[in-house]
Amino acid sequence: MDVVDRLTRAAEDGDAALATHLLGAGAEVDVVGTAGRTALDLAVHAGHARIVRVLLAAGANPRQAVGGYRELTPMCLAAMYGHTAVMGPSSASAPPTGAQGRMSYVPLVSAATAVEQGHLETVDLLLRHGAYINGTMKGKTPLEWAAAFGQVRMVRQLLARVRPQQRRR
């Protein structure tokens, strides 16, 4: 197994010590492994916040294309899976909260609609980091997406965050 595959395996497995060692030994942080994914992609997907911090500190690109079809960004992937702990490190500099990735996904919409009732903590984190609550994805706000999916708890949470003058009619 070459160093890139060892790094991606360490990232996927949550082995921060091995990932740190490999990076210190010269492993390139954003190289795609034989499985077609980078270490950051696999660490975010698995929810390994510590590995994400290690990789970002080593210069991993927080806006790289990730996901099975390379259609997302790390922020969108973390939002989709509700990996709130991963999102803090991946948004450390300037939090990318608007439309992103090949499919122009909006992390707030992904977090609000990815599962039956959405990822409530992740939505709160995104809003604290400056996500625009009335931003749209495919013409709908996060509130409209949550309502369309029948996510009552998420609709209530988003309504509580929208000031009356911001509500769309």
Side-chain angles (χ1 to χ4, degrees):
M1 182 182 299
D2 72 3
V3 70
V4 172
D5 287 330
R6 288 179 64 206
L7 178 61
T8 56
R9 173 72 57 91
E12 186 173 31
D13 292 345
D15 190 339
L18 180 56
T20 301
H21 169 74
L22 293 168
L23 291 165
E28 293 182 50
V29 71
D30 282 337
V31 175
V32 176
T34 56
R37 312 230 359 220
T38 65
L40 182 61
D41 182 356
L42 294 169
V44 170
H45 185 265
H48 298 306
R50 184 170 177 210
I51 299 289
V52 170
R53 283 191 298 275
V54 166
L55 295 168
L56 290 173
N61 178 1
R63 296 179 189 266
Q64 66 182 264
V66 300
Y69 301 102
R70 310 217 16 101
E71 74 281 17
L72 303 167
T73 62
M75 178 69 83
C76 285
L77 188 62
M80 185 177 297
Y81 284 102
H83 294 316
T84 308
V86 168
M87 296 183 79
S90 67
S91 62
S93 54
T97 57
Q100 47 193 280
R102 190 167 51 86
M103 303 297 289
S104 297
Y105 287 121
V106 175
L108 185 58
V109 172
S110 295
T113 61
V115 293
E116 187 176 324
Q117 288 302 318
H119 300 293
L120 302 170
E121 289 178 22
T122 305
V123 165
D124 281 341
L125 177 77
L126 285 165
L127 291 170
R128 282 194 310 273
H129 279 212
Y132 181 48
I133 197 163
N134 286 322
T136 61
M137 184 174 94
K138 298 182 181 180
K140 292 182 184 176
T141 67
L143 177 59
E144 291 167 331
W145 278 107
F149 284 111
Q151 297 171 313
V152 176
R153 286 182 60 208
M154 183 56 65
V155 167
R156 287 183 180 137
Q157 180 173 352
L158 291 168
L159 280 172
R161 299 294 294 266
V162 177
R163 285 185 248 130
Q165 68 271 22
Q166 290 179 317
R167 292 192 179 135
R168 291 177 71 181
R169 293 178 185 196

